Amino acid sequence: MMRKTILRSLTALVVVLTLVLGSFTTVLASESALRLAAQTADEPGVQIFTVSNPNGEDKEITWGDVNGNITKQDVVPAGGSITLRYPDAQMQGVRIYVSYTLNGAAKTLYAIGANKYNITIKYMSGGVELQSQKHAVSGNYTHTAPATLTSGGKTYELASASSQTHMFGKSSTTMTFEYKEIVKQPYQISVTYVDTSDTRLGGATLDVAVDATVNHDNPKTLSVNGRNYQLMTGQPSSISHAYGTATRSYKIYYELVQEPAATAYNVNVQYVDGSGKLLGYKRVTVPVNETVNIDIPASIATANGSQYNRASGEPATITHAFDNTKRTYTVRYDLAVATAPYEIRINYLSSANGATLATETVTVNLNSTATFEAVSSFERDGTTYYLASGQNRNIAHAFSNSQRVYNFYYNVQGQEESSYAVTVQYVNIADNSILYRTEQVVSSGESVSFDLPATYMVDGTEYKLVSGQEQTIDHAFYLPRRVYSVFYQNAADNTENVVITDNTTGVTTIITPEGTTTVVTDGEGNIVEATEEDLVDILDNPVPAAAGTEPENDGGDVVDIPDSEVPAAAAEQPASQAWIWWTIAGVAVLVAGGILWIVLKKKKAAEAK
């Protein structure tokens, strides 16, 4: 019984394997389709087609045109192809078919003739072929040969007609152009200098050697018959002529120099501290053919109210003659040390636009520390202002502190932002174009800092930071400015420019040899001329009291910077917090003393009883 079961199982396995192997054989025997493609003929009057056979066995085909004019049989070899040539004298196009069997089924392919053939273009010289190329044409074709060509290290120029036209299906399939060798010889070129009316002022003749390049520098100025001429704008400062260049003469234009009448000009006096930092400047106009005496002030004040005295050895007067070529003088100042009571000014400013809301003064007595607490809020003209976050509202100003001005910033109730973007842009001082722009987001109560490079490269041109500007910008959240403009000039430009920016208002003074310009940067980053409103000094407005408070009024005057001097902007100095610890310690002593007094009083009362 077991033997029968095994025999039946083997029989079933053989049947299954036979079916599987049969199916696998069928898959292996599957054929791929032939490929039919139109080709470009090498002669007119015939259409060319190729039939490719990707299979491992030869394939018999029947082919002809669809109109039945030709019917032929061919064999396409395994893995190969054959070319079918169909005569078409007028090259008007023909559609052919190719019939064959694919996996036992009839299959027909169709293709339309390319209707084009190759012609040969030859460049010849004395029966020697220099170059040749094939070009497929499908209609009339005109070919223009190059005027010159190089072959075998030699140069040839065209000696026949430059153009020939092939008539489709009629002309010869070969175009021939004749060339002759160019025997190189040295030659000369001329450079002529002329004025605006083409009158000759001078010139030069230059020898050009074979395969060489000659360079010639055109003079910037010419002196002819007692007149001076200069190279006109747009004219080349030099000529570079390579051998074989078609131009053989060059004309360079010069314009008559009109001797300008003498005019007044400006000189600048820069006030600097011991480290060379710019504190302020003075500009003086020098009239024609006159000598001016420039008075140097004995003391100056910076934007934060710090006082400086002219350093020992520095002149009290600078004498400058009209023919003196110097345009900038530098005078050093030392920080002044206070010897008598003085006043500091406290400004309440708008955090939105920097406008002054109010000011007051506090007297600092000799060798003492003055304290001040800014109000947390106040009303003005029906509007409530709140101290912007991130500021210490208390000031402890030591007598030795050089700062004289403190600023507090306020927001209109409900208008303070949680964060905003601060932009720093590098500006080309030559045309106010933007070289680079970057930004950071500052959040409420925080600050951001920007480091400015001394030099900056743009499109291969190096720029340098204009004198008078710091290399770091620190921006606290409560400050009103949103865009900072930093000015750069071409590093190759040695013009002595100076830029001074008021860090509070953003008003920028640009000092160049041509004059002084005062600008501001608007919220969009545009550089615009400052208006009178931008230039308004801090007003002596009384500080409005907050609800239930009355700010201390020492009756002092507002400290103003003299109009004759322009101070350099200085960074605001943060108020010292040392006074807090002194206050806490003082309160603690008072409390302890009060407790002790109460205890002693009770003790005496008890003893009396």
Side-chain angles (χ1 to χ4, degrees), residues 130 155 213 215 297 303 398:
L130 304 176
T155 302
T213 297
N215 297 307

Side-chain angles (χ1 to χ4, degrees), residues 33 75 93 130 146 155 157 213 236 279 335 412 455 458 471 501 575 602:
V75 176
L130 304 176
T155 302
E157 63 181 356
T213 297
L279 303 174
L335 184 64
V412 176
T455 60
V458 179
Q471 282 193 248
T501 299
K602 288 183 177 180

Side-chain angles (χ1 to χ4, degrees), residues 25 90 132 313 337 448 519:
T25 302
Q90 302 302 318
S132 67
V337 177
V448 292
V519 300

Side-chain angles (χ1 to χ4, degrees), residues 189-431:
I189 62 172
S190 64
V191 181
T192 304
Y193 311 138
V194 298
D195 64 12
T196 54
S197 61
D198 275 352
T199 301
R200 190 178 190 279
L201 303 174
T205 299
L206 309 176
D207 294 322
V208 183
V210 174
D211 294 334
T213 297
V214 62
N215 297 307
H216 174 73
D217 292 328
N218 299 319
K220 294 181 179 179
T221 60
L222 295 173
S223 182
V224 180
N225 298 328
R227 292 185 171 188
N228 295 322
Y229 297 83
Q230 65 183 8
L231 191 65
M232 289 184 65
T233 301
Q235 291 295 290
S237 59
S238 63
I239 292 172
S240 181
H241 179 95
Y243 183 89
T245 302
T247 303
R248 292 292 191 270
S249 62
Y250 296 85
K251 185 182 290 185
I252 309 300
Y253 283 88
Y254 287 77
E255 60 185 355
L256 181 66
V257 177
Q258 302 291 343
E259 295 299 332
T263 58
Y265 60 86
N266 296 320
V267 293
N268 295 317
V269 181
Q270 297 182 2
Y271 308 144
V272 300
D273 64 10
S275 65
K277 179 182 177 181
L278 186 67
L279 303 174
Y281 77 97
K282 187 174 189 177
R283 177 180 290 276
V284 176
T285 299
V286 182
V288 176
N289 297 327
E290 291 188 17
T291 297
V292 296
N293 292 318
I294 307 171
D295 294 329
I296 306 302
S299 64
I300 61 173
T302 61
N304 71 351
S306 298
Q307 300 291 322
Y308 286 81
N309 294 330
R310 189 176 62 241
S312 175
E314 293 295 323
T317 301
I318 295 176
T319 301
H320 182 94
F322 180 79
D323 57 358
N324 189 338
T325 58
K326 192 168 185 177
R327 295 294 182 268
T328 302
Y329 294 89
T330 301
V331 179
R332 184 170 65 86
Y333 281 77
D334 295 329
L335 184 64
V337 177
T339 58
Y342 59 85
E343 292 178 336
I344 59 175
R345 181 169 61 180
I346 292 89
N347 300 318
Y348 289 2
L349 307 178
S350 168
S351 185
N353 56 21
T356 302
L357 304 173
T359 67
E360 66 175 300
T361 57
V362 175
T363 298
V364 184
N365 294 320
L366 184 65
N367 297 326
S368 65
T369 297
T371 61
F372 176 82
E373 182 179 14
V375 296
S376 60
S377 66
F378 63 87
E379 288 189 4
R380 182 181 183 83
D381 297 333
T383 300
T384 302
Y385 294 88
Y386 288 87
L387 186 70
S389 62
Q391 300 177 96
N392 177 12
R393 47 187 296 214
N394 298 288
I395 293 175
H397 181 95
F399 181 78
S400 60
N401 192 335
S402 65
Q403 186 169 345
R404 297 294 185 269
V405 178
Y406 292 86
N407 293 326
F408 290 93
Y409 291 87
Y410 288 78
N411 289 308
V412 176
Q413 182 179 12
Q415 292 186 4
E416 183 173 7
E417 304 171 281
S418 61
S419 66
Y420 59 84
V422 180
T423 300
V424 171
Q425 58 187 17
Y426 302 168
V427 182
N428 185 352
I429 195 171
D431 56 9

Side-chain angles (χ1 to χ4, degrees), residues 426-444:
Y426 302 168
V427 182
N428 185 352
I429 195 171
D431 56 9
N432 286 346
S433 61
I434 306 302
L435 303 174
Y436 171 74
R437 185 179 281 120
T438 184
E439 71 175 35
Q440 295 187 52
V441 174
V442 59
S443 299
S444 177

Side-chain angles (χ1 to χ4, degrees), residues 30-43:
S30 178
E31 294 180 317
S32 297
L34 302 185
R35 293 187 292 273
L36 173 64
Q39 306 293 335
T40 300
D42 287 328
E43 58 183 322

Side-chain angles (χ1 to χ4, degrees), residues 38-48 85 91 114-122 132-139 141 166-175:
Q39 306 293 335
T40 300
D42 287 328
E43 58 183 322
V46 64
Q47 302 282 3
I48 302 297
R85 297 174 59 86
M91 297 298 289
N115 289 335
K116 58 182 179 180
Y117 56 86
N118 289 319
I119 63 172
T120 302
I121 301 169
K122 294 183 177 182
S132 67
Q133 64 187 60
K134 287 186 177 295
H135 183 82
V137 296
S138 58
Y141 170 72
H166 173 84
M167 304 304 293
F168 186 73
K170 299 178 181 179
S171 301
S172 169
T173 57
T174 301
M175 287 185 178

